Amino acid sequence: MSTRHNSLGQEIGSSLPTWNTCPKPANKTMVGAYCRLEALDATRHGEDLWQAYSADTEDRIWTYLPYGPFTTQTELKQWLTDHSAIQDPLFYAIISTSSGKAVGIATYLRIQPAAGVIEVGHINYSPALQATTAATEAMYLMMKNAFDLGYRRYEWKCDNLNLHSKKAARRLGFSFDGLFKQAAVYKGRNRDTAWFSILDTQWPAIQAEYERWLAADNFTVDGIQLSKLST
């Protein structure tokens, strides 16, 4: 983004004469071909998520999250109940179109309408969702919704030691912005946080690539991709 100078000769940011505050995202359902995202509801999604998460018998999906694993269905359902009422983070259940069941969670968080900044996080994909077309489409649907609302910056942050998350961010089109050392403490350990982002100026090209990749003619009848998602 370009810069300019004020009357004192100091370099300042470019003017945004048409900028307006963004609306906050609503608890609306986002629908794709392979999945949909619904406002998280413990009663409607609790059983599905318990079954889906229980398939991870080593509890790998909880390592880099500040909560979990949950040892009983009751414990998970209580956590879902508590967090489904929160507006930031705003939790969504990811529903597989093929099975009709909830197989993961994702949220919007650190929502800053005045600055046009929003983050995606609390991403927890069960084994049934991992490495599927629905997994990618869920992220696309959340990005598209945010940029359609007018947000200027879409963020992804993770523990710098979470190599899978960093690889996923790059594949999904995010650019690495930097490392915040000793940014947090969770589960009794340090977290250096890696920051990634997509800007509104980058979004049109990224959206076009998502739509090319998600098109039905990019997949065989068995659901195998013919070409990869290019970043």
Side-chain angles (χ1 to χ4, degrees), residues 78-89:
Q78 185 59 58
W79 185 90
L80 295 173
T81 299
D82 294 341
H83 287 76
S84 61
I86 301 173
Q87 294 302 302
D88 188 352

Side-chain angles (χ1 to χ4, degrees), residues 9 15 27 39 53-54 66 69 84 95 106 114 124 130 133-134 143 146 206 214 230:
S15 176
N27 282 324
Y53 289 150
S54 294
S84 61
I95 316 299
N124 194 349
Q130 293 170 15
T133 307
M143 285 183 206
I206 293 172
L214 287 166
S230 171

Side-chain angles (χ1 to χ4, degrees), residues 119-196:
E119 181 181 342
V120 62
H122 295 276
I123 300 168
N124 194 349
Y125 284 2
S126 71
L129 181 57
Q130 293 170 15
T132 65
T133 307
T136 298
E137 185 181 52
M139 293 296 96
Y140 164 72
L141 291 172
M142 293 186 72
M143 285 183 206
K144 183 178 185 302
N145 183 56
F147 285 115
D148 284 350
L149 290 173
Y151 283 85
R152 305 168 60 232
R153 175 180 170 88
Y154 191 75
E155 296 182 332
W156 175 296
K157 300 173 190 148
C158 62
D159 189 314
N160 192 50
L161 298 176
N162 189 347
L163 302 182
H164 179 78
S165 183
K166 292 196 294 183
K167 180 180 179 181
R170 292 187 177 97
R171 175 182 175 269
L172 292 169
F174 289 83
S175 299
F176 178 64
D177 289 339
L179 180 65
F180 281 47
K181 296 181 179 179
Q182 297 186 190
V185 176
Y186 72 115
K187 292 182 175 176
R189 62 181 186 254
N190 175 65
R191 169 169 148 160
D192 296 343
T193 299
W195 286 47
F196 298 83

Side-chain angles (χ1 to χ4, degrees), residues 1-222:
M1 187 173 289
S2 62
T3 58
R4 57 198 176 101
H5 293 81
N6 64 13
S7 60
L8 301 173
Q10 296 166 313
E11 194 172 36
I12 58 176
S14 59
S15 176
L16 299 173
T18 61
W19 171 248
N20 292 306
T21 296
C22 299
K24 291 185 177 181
N27 282 324
K28 72 171 188 177
T29 299
M30 292 174 267
V31 180
Y34 304 95
C35 72
R36 68 180 183 274
L37 290 93
E38 301 175 349
L40 181 64
D41 182 280
T43 300
R44 190 163 70 251
H45 305 127
E47 172 67 23
D48 287 351
L49 289 171
W50 172 253
Q51 295 299 328
Y53 289 150
S54 294
D56 174 21
T57 57
E58 296 181 319
D59 292 329
R60 287 177 176 269
I61 59 177
W62 304 101
T63 299
Y64 296 107
L65 290 170
Y67 42 79
F70 300 101
T71 57
T72 67
Q73 184 174 349
T74 299
E75 186 181 358
L76 173 62
K77 187 174 182 180
Q78 185 59 58
W79 185 90
L80 295 173
T81 299
D82 294 341
H83 287 76
S84 61
I86 301 173
Q87 294 302 302
D88 188 352
L90 183 61
F91 280 80
Y92 293 90
I94 302 169
I95 316 299
S96 166
T97 299
S98 60
S99 69
K101 296 182 179 297
V103 288
I105 285 174
T107 77
Y108 291 126
L109 71 157
R110 302 184 189 276
I111 304 165
Q112 303 174 58
V117 178
I118 193 169
E119 181 181 342
V120 62
H122 295 276
I123 300 168
N124 194 349
Y125 284 2
S126 71
L129 181 57
Q130 293 170 15
T132 65
T133 307
T136 298
E137 185 181 52
M139 293 296 96
Y140 164 72
L141 291 172
M142 293 186 72
M143 285 183 206
K144 183 178 185 302
N145 183 56
F147 285 115
D148 284 350
L149 290 173
Y151 283 85
R152 305 168 60 232
R153 175 180 170 88
Y154 191 75
E155 296 182 332
W156 175 296
K157 300 173 190 148
C158 62
D159 189 314
N160 192 50
L161 298 176
N162 189 347
L163 302 182
H164 179 78
S165 183
K166 292 196 294 183
K167 180 180 179 181
R170 292 187 177 97
R171 175 182 175 269
L172 292 169
F174 289 83
S175 299
F176 178 64
D177 289 339
L179 180 65
F180 281 47
K181 296 181 179 179
Q182 297 186 190
V185 176
Y186 72 115
K187 292 182 175 176
R189 62 181 186 254
N190 175 65
R191 169 169 148 160
D192 296 343
T193 299
W195 286 47
F196 298 83
S197 69
I198 296 175
L199 304 182
D200 56 352
T201 53
Q202 300 168 319
W203 173 240
I206 293 172
Q207 180 180 12
E209 176 60 15
Y210 270 109
E211 293 179 353
R212 180 204 66 78
W213 186 81
L214 287 166
D217 60 7
N218 188 42
F219 295 89
T220 68
V221 293
D222 298 322

